[in-house]
Amino acid sequence: MSPPASAAPYVTVRDLRRVFDVSKPWLNRMLEGGEKQFLTAVDDISFEIARGETFALVGESGSGKSTVARMVVGLLPPTAGEVTITGISMSSAAASAERQRMRRRIQMIFQDPYASLNPRWRVDRIVAEPIRAFDLIKEERAIVARVGELLTLVGLHPDDGKKYPHEFSGGQRQRIAIARALASNAEFIVCDEPTSALDVSVQAQILNLMRDLQDRLGLTYLFISHNLAVVRHMATRIGVMYLGRIVEISGGHELFAAPKHPYTRMLLDAVPDLGMTGKQRVPVQGEIPNPIDPPSGCTFNPRCPYANDRCRRETPPLNEGVACHAVHERRIDIPRAA
């Protein structure tokens, strides 16, 4: 269920930007010549997430989705901009005491469940680590009981805590990762492609588990994915990213029923037509440009059938949920949501 429109945002991201120095070492530049090179992975990203909702970021590989996720949880400092969660700034310059208290309420689920679990630790130790790290429970017997509850909550058995990660399937490992995320009584979970490494049938199980846990525990999700079918199942609202910028942001139903940006339409046309509607589809054309040397103006203009001279000169602002000169100038017919 969507939160009320008047509710204060749980997460606020404002003008977020991240630039990486990808230059050759100083000595190589001196001997071979050449200047410093910078890659703008994220540029001027802003969005809000209400308590209890799922906000998804979608886009092709290299669009900057995972970089945004890492900045939101504080694993990567932004070059500019700010992330606030319940009014507390997550930037490195923020008050450390408040930020540390907030960290207990934030967790992350990674793409590869095997790589994110310590192979030398048994599952009960893996799940109990946040409890011990944040000193949530003192007695060892109570910790063991809590670990058993968490494993049961995600569809495993308490006795599975005696096993090692390699003894589980991919879907079971992701259940363990979810149990670990919940161990600190987290309220906000960033999910970075949490099902992309799993089989389709297992993906559905994990996604249904995450939705059930959200309804039961009131969790808030930032969901990163390139799979539009997954996003359609999970997201309350969706932001579409291209080359480090959000080009469209809309409610989940509205985005699929009436996409505005040409890039969003291109992504939707790439989804297999399982309903065999007979609708003509345009395959995805071209590739994401080199982010070190992006095109001028709208970065999507080399792949856009509606691009004109203004698109090649000026970067379109995000206006009324879409960043596209052709939409703003009404050169594109926008379908109405049913």
Side-chain angles (χ1 to χ4, degrees):
M1 179 181 297
S2 301
S6 60
Y10 187 80
V11 179
T12 302
V13 174
R14 283 285 175 266
D15 306 324
L16 207 60
R17 178 181 172 87
R18 176 66 199 196
V19 179
F20 292 98
D21 186 346
V22 294
S23 309
K24 293 181 180 179
W26 174 80
L27 185 58
N28 291 68
R29 296 201 310 272
M30 291 295 293
L31 296 176
E32 303 169 11
E35 300 178 350
K36 279 194 169 187
Q37 288 186 314
F38 297 93
L39 187 154
T40 303
V42 173
D43 190 14
D44 196 26
I45 293 287
S46 297
F47 59 84
E48 295 178 346
I49 309 176
R51 185 183 294 273
E53 81 165 344
T54 299
F55 181 82
L57 286 176
V58 299
E60 294 170 283
S61 297
S63 59
K65 307 182 300 296
S66 294
T67 304
V68 172
R70 283 161 172 75
M71 285 192 288
V72 168
V73 297
L75 293 177
L76 192 65
T79 303
E82 187 177 41
V83 177
T84 58
I85 302 178
T86 64
I88 299 173
S89 175
M90 300 304 293
S91 67
S92 58
S96 59
E98 286 186 333
R99 195 170 67 252
Q100 286 302 321
R101 284 195 296 269
M102 174 57 64
R103 287 194 186 281
R104 180 183 65 80
R105 297 152 62 184
I106 305 169
Q107 290 294 329
M108 192 166 184
I109 301 173
F110 296 92
Q111 178 176 353
D112 187 348
Y114 189 63
S116 65
L117 302 176
N118 191 331
R120 298 186 179 184
W121 285 12
R122 295 192 313 183
V123 167
D124 54 1
R125 184 180 177 186
I126 291 173
V127 176
E129 181 63 15
I131 299 175
R132 296 191 174 100
F134 292 108
D135 199 23
L136 300 179
I137 301 176
K138 302 291 185 181
E139 297 182 2
E140 192 63 30
R141 183 178 299 179
I143 293 177
V144 172
R146 176 58 177 161
V147 170
E149 291 176 4
L150 290 167
L151 291 176
T152 302
L153 187 64
V154 299
L156 298 174
H157 194 276
D159 290 343
D160 289 331
K162 301 174 183 178
K163 301 177 183 178
Y164 289 88
H166 72 268
E167 300 179 70
F168 295 89
S169 67
Q172 290 173 323
R173 291 173 192 154
Q174 200 60 288
R175 291 176 186 268
I176 295 168
I178 294 172
R180 179 181 59 184
L182 297 175
S184 65
N185 301 323
E187 298 175 357
F188 176 49
I189 299 180
V190 176
C191 314
D192 188 7
E193 301 272 13
T195 60
S196 62
L198 307 177
D199 294 337
V200 175
S201 59
V202 180
Q203 283 186 20
Q205 296 173 16
I206 298 300
L207 293 174
N208 288 332
L209 171 64
M210 293 177 65
R211 291 194 63 172
D212 290 343
L213 291 172
Q214 184 176 36
D215 293 338
R216 184 183 305 184
L217 304 176
L219 302 174
T220 303
Y221 291 142
L222 171 59
F223 198 92
I224 309 297
S225 181
H226 66 273
N227 189 328
L228 287 171
V230 169
V231 168
R232 188 170 195 169
H233 180 71
M234 289 293 296
T236 312
R237 291 187 305 119
I238 302 171
V240 181
M241 288 191 66
Y242 185 78
L243 208 65
R245 300 178 68 94
I246 289 182
V247 296
E248 184 168 355
I249 188 167
S250 179
H253 171 74
E254 291 82 359
L255 187 90
F256 284 90
K260 297 178 181 178
H261 199 281
Y263 178 61
T264 308
R265 297 184 180 193
M266 185 180 293
L267 290 179
L268 291 175
D269 279 341
V271 177
D273 186 6
L274 299 180
M276 301 181 68
T277 61
K279 177 184 175 182
Q280 184 176 3
R281 290 174 175 266
V282 179
V284 176
Q285 303 289 337
E287 297 180 355
I288 288 185
N290 184 353
I292 299 177
D293 185 23
S296 59
C298 174
T299 53
F300 186 62
N301 80 76
R303 305 171 67 183
C304 181
Y306 304 99
N308 61 14
D309 290 339
R310 184 187 180 193
C311 299
R312 299 180 183 94
R313 293 192 314 267
E314 302 176 19
T315 301
L318 187 66
N319 186 15
E320 296 183 354
V322 62
C324 177
H325 292 309
V327 173
H328 298 162
E329 296 169 1
R330 304 188 184 280
R331 291 189 279 114
I332 300 178
D333 293 329
I334 305 300
R336 293 184 179 181

